[in-house]
Amino acid sequence: MRIFRRAISDTVVLMALPESDFDPTEVSVPWSVLTAAGYEVKFATPSGKRGHADPRVLTGKGFGPFKPFLAAREEGRELYGRLEKDPAFGSPISYEQIAPDAFDGLILPGGHAPGMKPYLESPELQKRVAHFFEADKPAGAICHGVLIPARVVSPKTGRSVLYGRKTTALLKSMELSGWAITAAWLGNYIRTYPTPVEDEVRSVLKSRDDFIRGPMSLRRDSASRPERGFAVVDGNYVSARWPGDANRFAREFLRVLDNAGGKGSPRTGTAMTSPG
């Protein structure tokens, strides 16, 4: 069995993925930010096969007049093209092969198409995610990726590992509006589950007010304008809502990772918001 183990001097982040249909921006932007900062990123998929992004989001085909709102932007497509050449991306390990002690941090990207379900519902992955949260290692989740820690039950408390934490996730308004404008020809392609992501996440929190919606804006951030995005930082946990927050999410996760590595003290309960 092939199990990745790190050298003592390395700092390695694990990014878990499905084998198909993940959002290319939510994967490639954090990968780019972390590797540019000198961190190593390794990947895991359900069976260890190479993952592939949602082709519709990559190309915009099938979105009709809503392509500008629903498809990946040029930055995400370009970075995903670079990511595909990364040997680590091409040779992931399986969820069963994840040795959590070998990694210093965890990122859980999102996506909404049917291929996401083996990732969002995997008991094997949830067991490993529980270890990261129980060990208080840096962990980040964006969009549908927040469903994974929401569904992970702490062996210590019997509650979700997000209970008592502040978080965000894909907003109900975003999810249902995207579904409404495409359902006539795409069916439930955008609506992964009958229960919206926001509703499921809120249901496991200590207080419904622990879910932070952020500014109501459809502006996307970019490498040059990360302040346009939104992310919530609570201790060593970072969350964001959609691909339009990917740069802000990646920068905040990097800061948490740096702090956990001895370059500072992690901040607690801080909602990082766009100035508008």
Side-chain angles (χ1 to χ4, degrees):
M1 179 178 289
R2 180 168 56 97
I3 298 179
F4 173 77
R5 298 192 182 279
R6 67 187 174 106
I8 294 176
S9 60
D10 292 339
T11 298
V12 188
V13 175
L14 174 68
M15 189 178 295
L17 300 173
E19 289 170 3
S20 64
D21 286 346
F22 56 81
D23 185 273
T25 303
E26 293 174 6
V27 174
S28 63
V29 169
W31 165 81
S32 177
V33 169
L34 291 174
T35 54
Y39 288 109
E40 186 174 3
V41 180
K42 295 290 183 178
F43 298 87
T45 62
S47 65
K49 294 180 181 178
R50 179 192 179 101
H52 298 276
D54 183 340
R56 181 173 280 123
V57 174
L58 270 175
T59 65
K61 293 181 180 179
F63 287 141
F66 304 106
K67 177 179 177 179
F69 303 100
L70 300 174
R73 300 290 175 87
E74 181 178 358
E75 179 186 63
R77 295 194 305 270
E78 179 184 347
L79 290 176
Y80 184 69
R82 296 181 193 175
L83 172 63
E84 288 188 300
K85 299 175 184 178
D86 182 349
F89 178 75
S91 301
I93 59 175
S94 71
Y95 294 163
E96 289 186 350
Q97 293 171 320
I98 296 172
D101 288 339
F103 300 96
D104 302 278
L106 171 70
I107 290 182
L108 300 166
H112 52 259
M116 288 288 293
K117 288 186 175 181
Y119 160 72
L120 297 174
E121 300 172 5
S122 169
E124 291 297 333
L125 179 58
Q126 290 175 18
K127 290 178 190 176
R128 276 81 179 167
V129 171
H131 178 95
F132 282 91
F133 277 83
E134 294 299 321
D136 197 29
K137 292 187 176 185
I142 180 170
C143 197
H144 279 67
V146 180
L147 286 175
I148 298 175
R151 294 171 174 177
V152 171
V153 176
S154 166
K156 295 179 180 178
T157 67
R159 298 180 182 274
S160 168
V161 295
L162 294 187
Y163 187 84
R165 296 178 186 264
K166 296 189 182 300
T167 190
T168 193
L170 178 65
L171 299 185
K172 184 176 181 177
S173 57
M174 291 178 170
E175 183 175 3
L176 295 186
S177 61
W179 170 70
I181 62 178
T182 60
W185 68 94
L186 294 181
N188 288 328
Y189 161 73
I190 283 182
R191 193 170 180 179
T192 314
Y193 298 103
T195 301
V197 171
E198 178 180 341
D199 287 353
E200 181 173 346
V201 173
R202 281 186 186 270
S203 73
V204 304
L205 303 180
K206 184 176 182 179
S207 167
R208 289 181 63 84
D209 292 338
D210 286 341
F211 188 96
I212 302 176
R213 305 188 81 250
M216 298 307 295
S217 171
L218 290 179
R219 290 194 310 172
R220 297 190 183 215
D221 66 16
S222 64
S224 61
R225 297 296 301 274
E227 74 278 0
R228 288 184 173 178
F230 175 80
V232 174
V233 181
D234 190 333
N236 281 342
Y237 169 60
V238 184
S239 57
R241 304 167 302 179
W242 71 309
D245 295 329
N247 282 278
R248 186 60 175 266
F249 169 78
R251 299 286 184 91
E252 295 302 334
F253 183 83
L254 174 61
R255 191 175 305 181
V256 167
L257 192 64
D258 283 346
N259 289 344
K263 298 181 181 179
S265 300
R267 295 161 296 169
T268 302
T270 302
M272 304 304 299
T273 64
S274 164

